[in-house]
Amino acid sequence: MSDSVGEELLSFLKELEKRREFATGYPYNLSYDYTPLLNLFNFTLNNLGDPYVESNYAIDSRKYEQEVLDFFANLYKLPDDDSWGYITSCGTEGNLYGIWLGREVYPDGILYSSEDSHYSVAKAARLFRIEHVVVNSQPTGEIEYDHFEEMIQQNSRRPIIINLNIGTTMKGAIDNLDVVLNILKRNQIQDFYIHCDAALSGMMLPFVANAPQVNFTKPISSIAISGHKFIGSPLVCGVVLTRKEFVNKIETSIDYIGSKDTTILGSRNGHAPLFLWYALKKKDYQGLAKEVEFCLENSQYLFNNLQLLNYPCMLNNFSNTVVFKKPPIQLVKKWQLATQGDWAHMVVMQNINRHKIDTFITDLKGFRYLD
Ligand SMILES: *Cc1c(COP(=O)(O)O)cnc(C)c1O
């Protein structure tokens, strides 16, 4: 390796450190230390095939993948004998998986999701050729229940596959599972499959005492959560959980890998489960609950400061996504804010403390006095 390659890498690392300081618009926990895991990168860890069926390729981390899945199954009250899941390559793969299972259970089903749903939901409909009805959203980002009911009544003979948002991408809104279940009940719909997209909030709500609780004691069928969002991981990843009965519908045994083909991808990242496992072990339930509290309090702090400035803003209950009017482009760039139309948001994660929020508010004031 020539010296110039080393120099190039060093300067890239310095640049990344600078950029990380101002990464505030996307829901990634950037505060972690995984240095004890670095030697794992000398191994090609591949959880090829099913997480519960050993492959002939033995350099894997299935043991840790299963422990992570147990943690999530507990968190989401999925009974052991009905529990299945895997560590995905991201939240999107979890959504694709859940919606795919929905279609396998109900080949004639229609997919319903609100207009505030993540773009991966519409992508699932296109990939799997599922008829897709987009339901209106309320200004908060929550699904419009009356419109949902109207739409299902128009297609009353067809089974329902619904994507519920447990924390929307732009506004952090939570669709109310109980209200949706009531609608299904009063319309006497028995054939339904509920997939929950809980990319970010799925690792937050279970730790908040009075937050709405979505779990498998209710008739949900699958849930997807991102791994690199709240938990944080240098390798992007996710978790999907579902009931075993649905997976039995799709599984096939593959002689060549010596495992079952139950996942969307073939080769699967074997490092990601170890990163999640390590973080969950180190933090424990209490540590995670503290981090959730820290993020929610700081979101409220940012929101209060914006209100003091009379700056147009919004914050949903139990959310750490603070939505506000799109500031001048210089600020959008500097703080790497996510924007949609006239709006922007900051997602207050573990790496955003009050000092950082104060600096942002000072920046915002500076621009306000200019115009
Ligand atoms: C981020 C996000 C996703 C997708 O997760 P990726 O890990 O980026 O693929 C899906 N749904 C919601 C609500 C999200 O916020």
Side-chain angles (χ1 to χ4, degrees), residues 46-276:
N46 186 348
N47 293 357
L48 183 60
D50 187 283
Y52 302 95
V53 184
E54 297 291 321
S55 159
N56 293 341
Y57 182 68
I59 306 173
D60 69 359
S61 64
R62 274 183 176 74
K63 174 175 181 285
Y64 300 97
E65 181 175 20
Q66 288 167 18
E67 285 189 29
V68 173
L69 292 169
D70 283 348
F71 169 88
F72 278 94
N74 262 323
L75 199 61
Y76 278 93
K77 302 186 165 50
L78 183 55
D80 275 354
D81 56 353
D82 193 24
S83 176
W84 200 87
Y86 72 98
I87 310 286
T88 59
S89 52
C90 60
T92 293
E93 190 187 341
N95 282 349
L96 295 182
Y97 193 73
I99 294 168
W100 176 41
L101 287 185
R103 196 211 56 188
E104 292 299 290
V105 177
Y106 297 119
D108 190 33
I110 296 178
L111 173 65
Y112 297 84
S113 67
S114 82
E115 54 186 341
D116 274 52
S117 300
H118 188 259
Y119 59 87
S120 54
V121 175
K123 175 154 54 190
R126 289 184 69 187
L127 268 172
F128 307 138
R129 293 188 181 240
I130 309 172
E131 195 177 323
H132 184 199
V133 172
V134 177
V135 179
N136 295 342
S137 297
Q138 305 175 35
T140 57
E142 197 174 336
I143 193 169
E144 221 178 74
Y145 302 99
D146 293 345
H147 191 230
F148 171 62
E149 187 161 16
E150 217 176 281
M151 291 295 111
I152 62 171
Q153 284 169 352
Q154 281 179 18
N155 298 290
S156 61
R157 281 195 190 80
R158 306 268 300 273
I160 288 175
I161 303 164
I162 173 164
N163 174 78
L164 275 196
N165 294 315
I166 312 303
T168 59
T169 307
M170 192 58 200
K171 298 175 180 165
I174 302 166
D175 294 337
N176 191 318
L177 173 62
D178 295 329
V179 173
V180 167
L181 288 173
N182 264 330
I183 292 173
L184 296 175
K185 198 170 172 193
R186 80 170 162 252
N187 288 276
Q188 292 168 349
I189 290 163
Q190 261 127 35
D191 292 344
F192 62 86
Y193 180 107
I194 299 177
H195 172 73
C196 302
D197 178 4
L200 168 65
S201 304
M203 264 307 287
M204 300 179 72
L205 298 186
F207 301 93
V208 183
N210 53 346
Q213 299 299 333
V214 167
N215 60 53
F216 286 89
T217 59
K218 295 181 180 168
I220 63 166
S221 303
S222 49
I223 187 164
I225 300 163
S226 288
H228 58 291
K229 286 189 173 173
F230 194 83
I231 297 177
S233 155
L235 302 159
V236 298
C237 58
V239 175
V240 67
L241 284 183
T242 185
R243 300 180 191 272
K244 226 180 221 157
E245 58 185 288
F246 301 130
V247 181
N248 292 341
K249 283 188 97 76
I250 58 152
E251 74 173 39
T252 42
S253 277
I254 307 293
D255 199 19
Y256 176 73
I257 60 172
S259 181
K260 279 187 197 162
D261 188 20
T262 41
T263 55
I264 293 187
L265 304 181
S267 287
R268 294 187 306 112
N269 187 329
H271 289 90
L274 278 156
F275 280 72
L276 297 183

